[in-house]
Amino acid sequence: MFILPPLETTLICFVTLAAISDLAWRRISNVLILSGLCCALALHLLHAPAAVPAVWLGGALSGFFAFLPLYLLRGMAAGDVKLMAMAGAFLGPCPALQAAAASVLIGGAMGLAIVIYRGRLRQALGNVAFLLTPLLWRAAGAPLKRVTLAPGASVGGMPYGLAIALGCLWLVLKR
C-alpha cells in the first residue's frame, strides 16, 4: 500500500484546492495560500524545528523567485507566484525548483494545447516572435527597445494553478 507522508499529503490537498479554484473562478485565494504557508510551517516545526529556516523559508523563497520573472513579464498572475511559494514552503528549496520546472513544462504543454484547440497557434507564435525580436537585437548589440502587445493581441490566459498542482504531484510521486 502506498501512503504519502503528512507533509506531502497536505501539499497535494492545498495545490488541488488551488487548481480547482483557478479552474472554477480563475482566482487563487490569499486565504488558501496563507493557510498553506501556516500548515507547512507547523508541519516542519513538528518534524524538524532546527531545519525550518532552511527548508520552510528557503523553499518558499525558491518557489516565489522561480516564478517572479514570469509575473514581471506579465506571463503569469500573482496568485500563481504565491501558490508556487506556498508549495516551496512544503517542499524545500531544491524540490521547489524541480516542481517549478515541472510546472513550467506542464504549463507550456497546456498552453500549446489551448492555443491549438482555439485555432490561434499562428497568432500565438506571432506574439512570441514580436516579444522576442528586441531581445535578439539586443544580443546582436543594438539597444533594447521595450515592446508590449497591442490591446486584444493576447491569445488568452489559462489556469496555471492546474499546472502547478500537476508539477507538485509529479514531484511527490516521483520521490
Side-chain angles (χ1 to χ4, degrees):
M1 179 180 224
F2 180 72
I3 299 175
L4 288 175
L7 202 63
E8 284 86 358
T9 303
T10 308
L11 167 64
I12 295 304
C13 290
F14 273 103
V15 295
T16 299
L17 287 172
I20 291 168
S21 170
D22 204 9
L23 284 167
W25 300 288
R26 300 299 306 267
R27 187 172 188 285
I28 300 171
S29 165
N30 286 334
V31 172
L32 180 69
I33 301 297
L34 187 56
S35 299
L37 286 168
C38 291
C39 280
L41 178 59
L43 289 169
H44 282 299
L45 285 171
L46 287 172
H47 183 264
V52 167
V55 178
W56 182 79
L57 184 59
L61 291 174
S62 295
F64 178 79
F65 285 112
F67 278 3
L68 183 62
L70 297 171
Y71 169 75
L72 294 174
L73 293 170
R74 291 189 281 160
M76 180 175 285
D80 302 321
V81 178
K82 293 181 280 187
L83 178 61
M84 194 63 235
M86 182 202 72
F90 279 96
L91 296 167
C94 289
L97 295 176
Q98 291 173 331
S103 299
V104 166
L105 292 173
I106 292 166
M110 284 173 47
L112 184 60
I114 289 170
V115 296
I116 290 171
Y117 175 76
R118 292 178 180 164
R120 300 182 83 182
L121 180 61
R122 177 171 280 158
Q123 184 182 356
L125 292 174
N127 287 350
V128 169
F130 177 76
L131 293 172
L132 291 180
T133 300
L135 295 176
L136 295 173
W137 281 108
R138 176 66 181 126
L144 185 62
K145 291 183 179 179
R146 181 176 171 91
V147 296
T148 56
L149 291 175
S154 173
V155 294
M158 68 177 224
Y160 214 86
L162 178 60
I164 295 169
L166 292 173
C168 290
L169 181 63
W170 170 82
L171 181 74
V172 165
L173 294 177
K174 175 183 87 90
R175 289 182 172 186

